[in-house]
């Protein structure tokens, strides 16, 4: 049968019908263990009752009005998010790319207000910020940009996890108004920077009077063992973007701002028809409440560490495994060669994983993954890694 979907995705040969927690069932009734969570989206697992109830109840009353009216659940969600993050206010949208678009516009406006006519944003190699024109221009991956020239101007790029490179760029380019960076790079290969990376960036931003903007779209909402990844440090950014797990599958994005950055986008300067509508906000409120009620964020650290130490144990004699690293349940297993085939091998074993940056297996299990599921993940994954690295010697 010919598909009428634009072929923008290379799809795996499986179609899911229903889910529950970390399990998914395909149309034939076969069960799979989901350790990817729709790429860090379903952090509470599939068909979570709290989210289900929230969106059912909300849909009986109101799905949408407009941002030209007050929206009570949007106000509640903004209070909750600012309270939990230490930020001042929020702009709501529908995706990660849109949250970053808001941040990019905010930074440019901030620049113009400080008298900089040609503002630039400092971004990183191997970064991922989305697929819209501005966010793909900010992304540090030529494959994402290929074929879409002319790119959006106003981005200057330096290597990730290199403070000296940032210092030099700031010295050299007086038009830099903001630094946009992921606390841990997800698509770029689960790259965890030096422990003081974010605090050194904060110092430089203060010194040069520019905005520190964190893309927490993948790292946020409990994924790394804190509500937001920057909360592993004692600094705060000026701008922080969220999406993915915020609605556990209901599309919602958010751009949080603090201090002067919170005063930059004023009436009429930005907008979104759907952004922050009652349906999406009620889902997000249920997500935040469940994370708290079930203490899931602290558990993410324990579970992530348990998965990694068990994997290290099983793979300790495999010289093709270069590194097993994690922050909470954001996990990377780096091999010494390309390993995209592992995704299909895992699928045959009814395990859903991902490979990023060619050589790094990426696991983003739901925060509700249980002990038996962790055992199954470790056993199956170490088995296929062993098989794969042995066969292709
Ligand atoms: C997924 C992701 C995005 C893009 O989010 P979309 O909702 O797909 O637009 C941006 N930044 C990071 C770090 C991401 O992981």
């Amino acid at each position: 049968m010919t598909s009428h979907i634009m072929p923008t995705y290379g799809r795996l040969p499986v179609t899911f019908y229903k889910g529950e927690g970390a399990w998914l069932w395909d149309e034939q009734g076969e069960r799979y263990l989901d350790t990817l969570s729709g790429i860090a989206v379903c952090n509470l697992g599939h068909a979570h009752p709290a989210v289900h109830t929230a969106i059912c109840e909300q849909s009986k009353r109101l799905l949408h009005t407009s941002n030209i009216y007050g929206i009570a659940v949007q106000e509640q969600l903004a209070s909750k998010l600012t309270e939990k993050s230490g930020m001042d206010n929020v702009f709501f949208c529908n995706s990660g790319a849109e949250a970053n678009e808001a941040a990019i516009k905010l930074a440019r406006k901030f620049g113009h207000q400080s008298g900089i006519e040609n503002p630039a944003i400092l971004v990183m190699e191997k970064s991922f910020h989305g697929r819209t024109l501005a966010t793909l221009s900010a992304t540090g991956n030529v494959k994402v940009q290929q074929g879409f020239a002319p790119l959006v101007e106003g981005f200057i790029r330096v290597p990730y996890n290199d403070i000296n490179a940032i210092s030099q760029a700031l010295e050299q380019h007086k038009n830099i108004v903001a630094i946009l960076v992921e606390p841990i790079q997800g698509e770029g290969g689960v790259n965890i920077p030096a422990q003081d990376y974010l605090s050194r960036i904060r110092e430089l931003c203060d010194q040069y009077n520019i905005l520190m903007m964190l893309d927490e779209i993948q790292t946020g909402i409990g994924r790394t063992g804190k509500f937001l990844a920057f909360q592993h440090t004692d600094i705060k950014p000026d701008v922080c973007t969220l999406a993915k797990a915020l609605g556990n599958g209901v599309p919602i994005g958010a751009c949080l701002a603090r201090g002067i950055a919170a005063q930059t986008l004023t009436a009429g300067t930005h907008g979104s028809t759907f952004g922050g509508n009652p349906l999406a906000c009620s889902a997000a409120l249920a997500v935040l409440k469940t994370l708290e009620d079930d203490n899931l964020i602290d558990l993410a650290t324990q579970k992530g560490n348990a998965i990694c130490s068990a994997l290290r144990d099983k793979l300790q004699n495999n010289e093709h495994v270069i590194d097993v690293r994690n922050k909470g349940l954001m996990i990377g297993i780096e091999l010494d060669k390309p390993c995209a085939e592992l995704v299909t091998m895992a699928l045959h074993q009814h395990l859903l994983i991902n490979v990023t940056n060619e050589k790094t297996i990426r696991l983003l299990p739901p925060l509700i993954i249980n002990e038996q599921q962790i055992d199954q993940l470790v056993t199956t994954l170490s088995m296929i890694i062993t098989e794969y690295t042995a066969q292709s010697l």
Side-chain angles (χ1 to χ4, degrees):
M1 198 174 69
T2 46
S3 173
H4 298 282
I5 310 281
M6 271 196 204
T8 59
Y9 281 89
R11 290 172 198 267
L12 290 161
V14 63
T15 302
F16 298 110
Y17 171 68
K18 66 166 185 174
E20 189 184 322
W23 298 118
L24 281 170
W25 284 266
D26 70 11
E27 291 177 322
Q28 285 71 43
E30 294 288 319
R31 191 176 78 166
Y32 297 77
L33 180 61
D34 182 6
T35 62
L36 192 59
S37 311
I39 316 188
V41 169
C42 299
N43 280 10
L44 302 182
H46 300 284
H48 194 284
V51 179
H52 163 240
T53 305
I55 62 183
C56 283
E57 291 306 312
Q58 185 61 53
S59 71
K60 288 179 194 165
R61 297 199 307 277
L62 267 183
L63 287 179
H64 181 86
T65 50
S66 167
N67 283 309
I68 64 175
Y69 309 111
I71 300 174
V73 273
Q74 188 184 109
E75 291 288 350
Q76 286 168 36
L77 179 60
S79 319
K80 195 78 200 166
L81 281 175
T82 51
E83 176 199 315
K84 290 176 79 67
S85 63
M87 304 296 281
D88 291 339
N89 60 16
V90 190
F91 173 81
F92 287 109
C93 49
N94 313 289
S95 67
E98 280 179 76
N100 285 335
E101 287 276 347
I104 291 164
K105 280 182 70 177
L106 191 158
R108 285 189 170 190
K109 191 123 187 305
F110 167 80
H112 283 286
Q113 283 170 355
S114 346
I116 294 169
E117 305 235 316
N118 185 26
I121 298 172
L122 195 69
V123 291
M124 306 302 150
E125 288 174 7
K126 293 194 182 153
S127 62
F128 184 80
H129 298 298
R131 298 285 196 156
T132 62
L133 270 176
T135 60
L136 78 83
S137 303
T139 290
N141 178 345
V142 286
K143 279 193 207 152
V144 170
Q145 298 171 339
Q146 199 82 56
F148 299 109
L151 300 183
V152 173
E153 293 174 48
F155 296 101
I156 293 168
R157 197 175 306 285
V158 293
Y160 190 61
N161 195 19
D162 184 342
I163 284 292
N164 286 334
I166 297 179
S167 296
Q168 280 169 21
L170 291 173
E171 265 314 300
Q172 205 183 333
H173 305 277
K174 295 298 169 196
N175 61 333
I176 294 175
V177 294
I179 299 177
L180 174 63
V181 59
E182 294 154 271
I184 296 172
Q185 289 186 327
E187 305 307 303
V190 190
N191 303 321
I192 305 175
Q195 209 148 30
D196 64 350
Y197 185 55
L198 295 185
S199 52
R200 302 276 301 274
I201 291 179
R202 180 71 269 174
E203 282 168 21
L204 287 170
C205 287
D206 290 341
Q207 186 186 331
Y208 285 85
N209 218 353
I210 63 172
L211 301 179
M212 176 175 184
M213 310 204 296
L214 290 181
D215 179 341
E216 291 247 20
I217 290 161
Q218 192 158 149
T219 53
I221 325 294
R223 172 60 48 193
T224 72
K226 295 280 183 189
F227 179 61
L228 301 174
F230 76 75
Q231 293 171 326
H232 289 285
T233 73
D234 52 17
I235 61 103
K236 283 184 205 165
D238 302 294
V239 173
C240 171
T241 53
L242 300 176
K244 291 201 163 94
L246 182 54
N248 208 58
V250 177
I252 180 169
C255 176
L256 283 64
R258 191 175 64 87
I260 183 145
Q263 312 304 321
T264 304
L265 291 177
T266 50
T269 58
H270 199 39
S272 167
T273 295
F274 292 132
N277 87 4
L279 182 76
C281 291
S282 60
L285 277 169
V287 168
L288 301 185
K289 185 171 185 318
T290 305
L291 287 172
E292 282 177 8
D293 290 351
D294 299 352
N295 191 32
L296 289 174
I297 298 180
D298 289 339
L299 291 173
T301 300
Q302 292 170 32
K303 290 175 183 180
N305 293 347
I307 291 168
C308 287
S309 60
L311 283 172
R312 279 187 203 105
D313 211 44
K314 293 228 188 232
L315 296 167
Q316 59 183 336
N317 296 321
N318 190 328
E319 76 265 31
H320 298 286
V321 178
I322 293 180
D323 194 20
V324 178
R325 54 180 177 265
N326 76 303
K327 196 87 180 165
L329 281 168
M330 188 162 182
I331 300 169
I333 302 130
E334 188 175 340
L335 303 192
D336 63 356
K337 59 183 165 195
C339 59
E341 287 159 59
L342 282 172
V343 173
T344 304
M345 290 175 72
L347 184 67
H348 289 146
Q349 302 299 324
H350 289 195
L351 175 69
L352 307 180
I353 63 166
N354 177 246
V355 168
T356 181
N357 198 28
E358 292 182 351
K359 296 179 185 172
T360 303
I361 302 157
R362 177 172 51 163
L363 304 178
L364 299 161
L367 275 51
I368 50 79
I369 191 168
N370 67 31
E371 236 167 277
Q372 283 124 308
Q373 292 163 337
I374 286 177
D375 287 346
Q376 183 175 331
L377 162 62
V378 169
T379 306
T380 309
L381 185 60
S382 53
M383 182 189 82
I384 63 165
I385 292 174
T386 304
E387 194 184 318
Y388 176 73
T389 52
Q391 77 179 217
S392 47
L393 273 178

